[in-house]
Amino acid sequence: MSDPYESYVFDHSRGWMSLDIYYEPGLNVATLHHTGHISVKQGDSRYADTWIDRLQDCKPIALHTFLVEDEKIPALFQPCVYDDRDSPSAVGGSGCLCRKSMADPITGLPVVREHYRTRSGNIESWTYKTITSRGLPEGRTVRSLIVDKHEFWMRDDESELHFLPRTDSSGYGIGYGGGGPYALCQMIEQLVESDGANSTPVRWRDKPNGALLAWARNDEISHQGEYTIKELRSLIR
């Protein structure tokens, strides 16, 4: 494959990539597993904008189709209204519903940028959709965990931002008594125990530390901020 992004994504020796396909020869059965879907908008936070700024345009590949509705797949191949007012994705000459294929140059993960612009132009937004990785690229470790306004991030030892890995069935949360804080605590304990080396999505662990869980479920404090591994360790008592 001539496209370096394609060869990067489909290198199965990289265990931290996010897509698995299981197939048994002779059986017409295949199963697909991917890690959690993520959606952020430009302007959501400084962390989101930092991540968006590093994204690169690329040609659409099969992985991008997992991030759009079936009927919107053709939009991945259509120009934006800013490039062509007669684009099939243009609405009324100045509105737009195009999709743009992009890639995260550090992880190789696919990203789709969704453009929403009304005909009058009074409403316009860019939404970026992707899937989380299984962890950090080889040789990197987690330096800190970030609790953002609407998202959870991790910063690696080269100061690059990544979404906190997850599965679609185990989302994270904080500041309430549901399962989201429980899942977050399990991930925090794993990060602390491995000193930031293991950031793969947690599938099952024993009940989290009581002090840590009480902190995560406390709805009377602001949890937003960046926590080093040392600071996370101090929450476990």
Side-chain angles (χ1 to χ4, degrees):
M1 287 175 286
S2 59
D3 189 323
Y5 171 57
E6 281 189 272
S7 61
Y8 193 53
V9 167
F10 290 106
D11 182 356
H12 296 294
S13 67
R14 299 177 181 272
W16 47 269
M17 295 309 295
S18 68
L19 217 64
D20 285 325
I21 297 179
Y22 174 76
Y23 172 73
E24 286 193 22
L27 299 178
N28 294 320
V29 176
T31 59
L32 173 69
H33 168 74
H34 54 76
T35 49
H37 279 80
I38 295 287
S39 178
V40 296
K41 287 187 177 182
Q42 194 166 26
D44 273 354
S45 73
R46 62 187 178 94
Y47 301 108
D49 288 346
T50 297
W51 174 75
I52 289 170
D53 285 345
R54 83 176 185 221
L55 300 179
Q56 299 175 350
D57 293 339
C58 69
K59 294 179 180 179
I61 61 172
L63 289 178
H64 288 99
T65 65
F66 289 103
L67 300 171
V68 298
E69 307 91 330
D70 289 347
E71 65 273 14
K72 292 295 183 181
I73 291 176
L76 289 170
F77 303 88
Q78 298 167 357
C80 177
V81 69
Y82 289 129
D83 300 318
D84 183 357
R85 292 177 64 87
D86 296 321
S87 169
S89 289
V91 179
S94 58
C96 194
L97 294 173
C98 72
R99 304 291 190 269
K100 185 74 172 179
S101 56
M102 308 184 78
D104 182 333
I106 295 177
T107 64
L109 290 173
V111 180
V112 170
R113 181 179 69 183
E114 296 186 355
H115 188 194
Y116 177 80
R117 175 183 165 87
T118 58
R119 295 182 184 183
S120 63
N122 64 319
I123 300 176
E124 185 170 30
S125 65
W126 302 91
T127 301
Y128 296 77
K129 294 186 176 181
T130 187
I131 48 181
T132 64
S133 67
R134 288 190 180 179
L136 293 177
E138 185 178 354
R140 300 196 187 191
T141 59
V142 178
R143 190 180 78 186
S144 60
L145 171 75
I146 298 168
V147 179
D148 200 4
K149 297 175 183 177
H150 311 292
E151 194 50 68
F152 296 88
W153 306 81
M154 56 186 182
R155 191 185 299 278
D156 67 23
D157 50 1
E158 297 187 21
S159 203
E160 297 288 359
L161 289 171
H162 307 265
F163 293 105
L164 192 64
R166 75 202 62 183
T167 64
D168 277 335
S169 60
S170 59
Y172 301 120
I174 202 160
Y176 62 94
Y182 194 101
L184 179 64
C185 288
Q186 290 188 316
M187 173 59 90
I188 289 174
E189 288 192 326
Q190 179 174 279
L191 289 173
V192 169
E193 290 170 3
S194 65
D195 203 25
N198 185 3
S199 56
T200 57
V202 178
R203 297 189 181 279
W204 178 255
R205 293 174 60 93
D206 294 332
K207 185 176 179 180
N209 172 269
L212 179 63
L213 187 59
W215 168 82
R217 289 181 169 177
N218 190 335
D219 61 359
E220 297 180 354
I221 63 174
S222 173
H223 297 85
Q224 288 185 32
E226 187 161 352
Y227 302 85
T228 65
I229 297 297
K230 182 179 179 179
E231 290 170 332
L232 293 174
R233 184 174 289 112
S234 71
L235 295 172
I236 301 174
R237 300 187 298 275

